[in-house]
Amino acid sequence: MLTWLDKIKWFVILVLVQGVVIGQMETSRIAVPLIYIYYLLKLPSDTGRKQLLFHAFFLGLGVDMFGNTPGLNITASLWLAMVRHQLLRWQTARDASDSFSPGIKTMRVGPFFRYIAPAILLHSFILNFIDAFSLVRMYQVCINSLADTLATIAIVWVVELVRRND
């Protein structure tokens, strides 16, 4: 379980990495890893909806402030927060009262991948769709979303495997 101090540490680190490091890479626009959503994906399963929305809002706000993208990341993060419980419930065979931190250790590889893949795809699609704000470039939105999803899954997987050894 994450303590509140661990949550603050991860929050700050992921927002800074997304804003400072990945924000500079975004100019090439091949695939932009959205590593900051790892924070939302790893919150304990018993996190309430209001608390999850609170975390999502401020996480998106932090990234939006670095990227000068008013509201884009907030909106995508709030959508992810809204569907997170359902995605998590579909992949676990636990009682609703069980509390766990989603990860390879607690869920195993297959269910964890089936949990993060649609969550990241939804987040990146909403982010790219709102950024394009047009149905004319839907093909480009889908390509960018898929590339962002694959890059994000790869980085989340690496972070999860490194943390697994802790």
Side-chain angles (χ1 to χ4, degrees), residues 44-58:
S45 63
D46 64 343
T47 304
R49 178 156 287 177
K50 290 179 185 176
Q51 188 177 9
L52 196 58
L53 290 171
F54 179 80
H55 285 281
F57 177 81
F58 283 104

Side-chain angles (χ1 to χ4, degrees), residues 98-112:
D98 286 351
S99 176
F100 64 96
S101 181
I104 293 175
K105 260 192 222 180
T106 57
M107 295 175 67
R108 295 186 329 267
V109 173
F112 182 68

Side-chain angles (χ1 to χ4, degrees), residues 40-111:
L40 291 176
L41 296 172
K42 289 295 287 183
L43 286 173
S45 63
D46 64 343
T47 304
R49 178 156 287 177
K50 290 179 185 176
Q51 188 177 9
L52 196 58
L53 290 171
F54 179 80
H55 285 281
F57 177 81
F58 283 104
L59 186 68
L61 180 65
V63 175
D64 280 338
M65 287 172 53
F66 272 107
N68 197 21
T69 55
L72 288 177
N73 293 291
I74 292 172
T75 304
S77 296
L78 288 173
W79 271 95
L80 176 60
M82 290 298 293
V83 301
R84 179 184 178 266
H85 283 296
Q86 189 64 36
L87 291 172
L88 197 54
R89 193 173 318 134
W90 284 342
Q91 297 307 320
T92 58
R94 300 172 188 262
D95 291 335
S97 62
D98 286 351
S99 176
F100 64 96
S101 181
I104 293 175
K105 260 192 222 180
T106 57
M107 295 175 67
R108 295 186 329 267
V109 173

